[in-house]
Amino acid sequence: MEPPEIERLDERTIQRIAAGEVVERPASVVKELIENSLDAGATRIAVSVEADGTEGIRVRDDGVGIPADQLEAAVAEHATSKIGDIEDLDAGVATLGFRGEALYTVGGVSRLTVRSKPPGADAGAEITVEGGSIGEVRPAGCPTGTVVEVGDLFYNTPARKKFLKRVATEFDHVNTVVTSYALANPDVAVSLEHDGRETFATEGNGDLRSAVLAVYGREVAESMIDVDWTPGSAGGDAGAAVDGEATIDGDDEDPPVIRVTGLVSHPETTRASRDYLGTYVNDRYVTASVLREAVLDAYGGQLAPDRYPFTVLFVEVPPDDVDVNVHPRKLEVRFDESTAVRSAVADAVESALLDHGLIRSTAPRGESAPDEV
């Protein structure tokens, strides 16, 4: 047998493969675009989806916009305003959409239009990208901010489109993404529309419970209790152990967890899916297994089998103690001291539940099943 020849792929194929790593499904597009809107300082973000998202996605914001002379760079490869060099990655990424190539990757597998107008500009401008081919910048009428429209998603990558689920399932993924960022940013008015009908809209008044009410309804909002924990705070032992290992001490000068805040639900207000276990690290939405398992540990045996609580939990850690670049869609993170983080989060939630008399102090912390991303 003759060894096969190794050949370099053409640029168009490389582009589509790279896009596939980030743009797994319509919800991936929505996630990238919302992050860009938040990084642009938007106070209002409106998301509209047609069918499962392949037919149409529109994300509109009132952020700082993109000047006409920078639109072409905004959709180009390896272009970003969010990092300068490798040192920015090593120091921890402060922005959400740090990849900085969302528009480039989305444009490689769709028909993309970006329309934008910075504050104070006399007029807006737009640029189109079709399957990676970048068009010319043209004048366009639009309000201050940015509108990104994505049509015919995966039209040139039929294998990716083939493996999408049914419309309801794909929209559920979109809903989860938009919900997660709406809850993470209660000071931003976020709305979601599906096939012309509004799914939810938050007020953007800065009140987390108000955002929960808009997204999940009154029953869930009224069942939520506050979590506010710092190392060594009253009501919890910051030196608790998980799996027999000692973790953080409240007297540490540089604890692995700075603060845990948010809302968690009554043990009887649950669902059959982990999708409602909302966890955030330095305001970035993640589905990190260590955090979800910590929450379930805190409830101990108080949850019914295969039932999961609602949580909107913010975990603040030193930026250089967490790696956000371990998952193509940035949903998983790696902590320098994962055992200590798990212990702190479990202690924070357990303390809140104990303070409200919702669990017994003798309830053991259970062993949760491994999470799936």
Side-chain angles (χ1 to χ4, degrees), residues 38 96 178-188 206-212 215-216 224-231 256-264 276-286 288 291-292 294-295 310-318 333 335 341 344-349:
L38 291 169
L96 293 170
V178 183
T179 292
S180 300
Y181 286 100
L183 295 174
N185 301 273
D187 56 335
V188 178
D207 182 63
L208 180 58
R209 198 176 294 272
S210 171
V212 170
V215 171
Y216 291 138
M224 303 293 266
I225 62 170
D226 292 295
V227 176
D228 193 347
W229 178 98
T230 54
V257 176
I258 299 170
R259 192 178 185 190
V260 181
T261 60
L263 298 169
V264 297
Y276 303 96
L277 283 167
T279 52
Y280 305 81
V281 174
N282 295 350
D283 295 325
R284 180 191 301 276
Y285 172 68
V286 298
L291 301 182
R292 289 183 165 188
V295 171
F310 288 83
T311 67
V312 186
L313 211 59
F314 301 92
V315 182
E316 182 182 354
V317 303
V333 294
F335 298 102
V341 171
V345 173
D347 187 61
V349 176

Side-chain angles (χ1 to χ4, degrees), residues 9 31 57 61 99 103 111 146 164 172-173 195 201 219:
L9 296 172
K31 176 181 183 296
I57 295 172
D61 68 57
R99 181 178 299 273
L103 299 179
R111 308 183 201 278
T146 301
L164 294 179
D172 280 347
H173 284 290
D195 289 337
E219 176 193 357

Side-chain angles (χ1 to χ4, degrees), residues 272-339:
S273 169
R274 293 179 184 238
D275 289 346
Y276 303 96
L277 283 167
T279 52
Y280 305 81
V281 174
N282 295 350
D283 295 325
R284 180 191 301 276
Y285 172 68
V286 298
T287 57
S289 301
V290 65
L291 301 182
R292 289 183 165 188
E293 290 166 4
V295 171
L296 300 179
D297 287 344
Y299 280 84
Q302 302 305 303
L303 296 172
D306 299 320
R307 303 292 293 185
Y308 304 95
F310 288 83
T311 67
V312 186
L313 211 59
F314 301 92
V315 182
E316 182 182 354
V317 303
D320 55 356
D321 285 356
V322 59
D323 184 0
V324 300
N325 197 24
V326 297
H327 188 282
R329 289 173 291 129
K330 307 190 289 288
L331 290 178
E332 270 287 352
V333 294
R334 180 182 293 120
F335 298 102
D336 285 353
E337 300 179 56
S338 60
T339 301

